Amino acid sequence: MTAGGSASMEDGDGKGGLRAALGGLTTRGRSFLAAGIAAAICAYVLGQGDLLRVGLLLTVLPLVCATVLLRTRYRVAGTRRLSPSRVPAGTEARVHLRMENVSRLPTGLLMLQDRVPYVLGPRPRFVLDRVEAGGRREVSYRVRSDLRGRYPLGPLQLRLSDPFGMCELTRPFSAYDTLVVVPRTQPLPPVRLSGEASGYGEGRQRSLALAGEDDVIPRGYRHGDDLRRVHWRSTARYGELMVRREEQPQRARCTVLLDTRRIAYQGTGPDSPFEWAVSGAASALVHMLERGFAVRLLTDDGSPVPGEGGFAGSTQESADSAGLMMDTLAVVDHSDGGGLSRAYDVLRGGNEGLLVAFLGDLDDEQTAVAARMRQRSGGAIAFVLDSAAWVHGSASDAEPAASEERLRLLRESGWTAVAVGPGADLARLWQQAGQQSSVTQSALSGGAPGGTTGFTGGWS
């Protein structure tokens, strides 16, 4: 990513430019000006001619420096490049700045300052000593944030100073960049997760999790295409000969559900349960995409990413959608909603494949809604956080009993539910989910060889 612009030092005519020059006087320049005026007044009162000449010299020197600096005529162009422009939290990115003198005159002493948010580190400053006509200079600095988000970089400011240090003029560039800090992701083990067992849901959902919809979108006729593949309905619609695409391999689907309800989490900061859930959702997205699943992100407010309920797969267009999902997770915040009903409405299509959910604290009502979600998917894995334990280190005797009861209800409805304690390791929990779902599947099938009749929504 690059951003550029130019700063001109040739706009110093007029009263506005003179005021800007006088406003750019440094502490040294103001001191000389004040001392000169004071000396001139004393010389006039005392009748000392030599003191008057000294006063005039002290007064004129900063004014001359400001005038010369203001009327300096050269142009400097600058560009910025981020490498990379999207980084995980806690990872450094490097910002490259290039300054080019596009005028016919060499520059004097140049000072560069780039504006960055305080969370990325101190504001970088550089000093460039004389850039020849047509010459260029390149500098770089590093930025790092432990907090996810979108952070503006710039605009770049160019400061010009005279050799005596009497005056400094600043010219800002117009362009700026944006650094996207996405959540940390953790590599997950390639376990096999069992999904829907016999006796849960509808049989048609079992195949849908492993097999996506056929690609029936027609394309224009090409020379050599078999006329038996002509799609006559599309031909009549578009007014040109259209043929059916070759049958595409079916891809398993996965929906990653992130609970963002404000009332479902306690605490703030990088180590809070909400940040763990966001990082877990990002890790699951990356893992499932690497396994060839068509993936989408869904939040409790019912907003799927990519939009319109679409899924991101392994094509280049889907890779852009995956980047969109990570960008969404970079800025996702708590929602003011109190329930999961909107997310349940999105899942009503029953064509969702595997469902991986990261849930905060659940009450009885939301536990029932989550239980109904299980009927809308081919397989379901839930990571349920106990935010009270995260904040206080341990919960009361009543709270663990209530949490265990809600986990039991989720499991009875067909979920593979895993409790998430403070600072839990997602890779270990992912492995635990695979073992738990395998045990559940074996128990439901009676343990007989070949007795598993349910869907296995997973990967090897």
Side-chain angles (χ1 to χ4, degrees), residues 4 259 357 394:
D259 181 7
S394 62

Side-chain angles (χ1 to χ4, degrees), residues 220-420:
Y221 175 82
R222 299 172 185 169
H223 180 70
D225 284 337
D226 191 345
L227 293 179
R228 290 175 296 180
R229 293 173 51 207
V230 173
H231 195 272
W232 296 109
R233 181 179 299 178
S234 298
T235 299
R237 178 180 179 182
Y238 293 103
E240 60 176 315
L241 204 58
M242 306 292 290
V243 297
R244 290 186 296 271
R245 295 177 184 265
E246 295 289 346
E247 184 177 353
Q248 301 294 323
Q250 297 176 336
R251 180 179 296 112
R253 286 183 168 185
C254 175
T255 298
V256 178
L257 172 62
L258 175 61
D259 181 7
T260 64
R261 295 173 299 132
R262 189 180 303 275
I263 61 175
Y265 299 94
Q266 300 180 31
T268 58
D271 298 326
S272 65
F274 179 68
E275 292 300 325
W276 191 97
V278 173
S279 178
S283 301
L285 286 171
V286 173
H287 179 77
M288 302 303 284
L289 285 171
E290 290 175 350
R291 294 298 181 267
F293 277 66
V295 184
R296 72 173 174 181
L297 172 67
L298 179 65
T299 59
D300 59 284
D301 62 2
S303 301
V305 181
E308 301 299 329
F311 288 79
S314 58
T315 63
Q316 180 59 42
E317 181 179 355
S318 299
D320 296 337
S321 299
L324 177 61
M325 288 188 287
M326 295 301 292
D327 290 347
T328 301
L329 289 176
V331 297
V332 69
D333 201 356
H334 290 291
S335 68
D336 295 327
L340 302 172
S341 58
R342 291 185 179 179
Y344 172 74
D345 292 338
V346 176
L347 297 173
R348 281 186 175 179
N351 189 16
E352 311 304 330
L354 184 64
L355 176 61
V356 180
F358 293 85
L359 305 174
D361 295 332
L362 298 174
D363 55 20
D364 294 339
E365 180 182 356
Q366 300 311 313
T367 302
V369 175
R372 293 197 300 270
M373 287 183 183
R374 175 63 185 86
Q375 303 172 5
R376 305 297 181 181
S377 62
I381 297 91
F383 298 93
V384 184
L385 286 81
D386 184 358
S387 61
W390 281 70
V391 174
H392 305 295
S394 62
S396 64
D397 294 338
E399 288 176 342
S403 299
E404 287 298 327
E405 176 64 18
R406 287 158 188 160
L407 288 174
R408 184 185 65 81
L409 293 175
L410 290 177
R411 289 164 183 162
E412 288 181 351
S413 65
W415 282 87
T416 298
V418 180
V420 180

Side-chain angles (χ1 to χ4, degrees), residues 58-75:
L58 294 177
T59 303
V60 170
L61 181 58
L63 297 178
V64 171
C65 291
T67 302
V68 172
L69 188 62
L70 184 65
R71 299 187 63 84
T72 300
R73 296 180 178 272
Y74 58 80
R75 297 180 62 87

Side-chain angles (χ1 to χ4, degrees), residues 5-10 73-79 98-107 110 131-137 158 173:
S6 63
S8 174
M9 293 299 173
E10 58 182 5
R73 296 180 178 272
Y74 58 80
R75 297 180 62 87
V76 177
T79 58
R98 186 175 70 176
M99 307 301 301
E100 183 176 0
N101 184 9
V102 296
S103 66
R104 299 180 180 179
L105 299 175
T107 70
L110 299 179
V131 181
E132 65 278 6
R136 64 182 60 178
R137 298 289 187 272
L158 178 65
F173 291 79

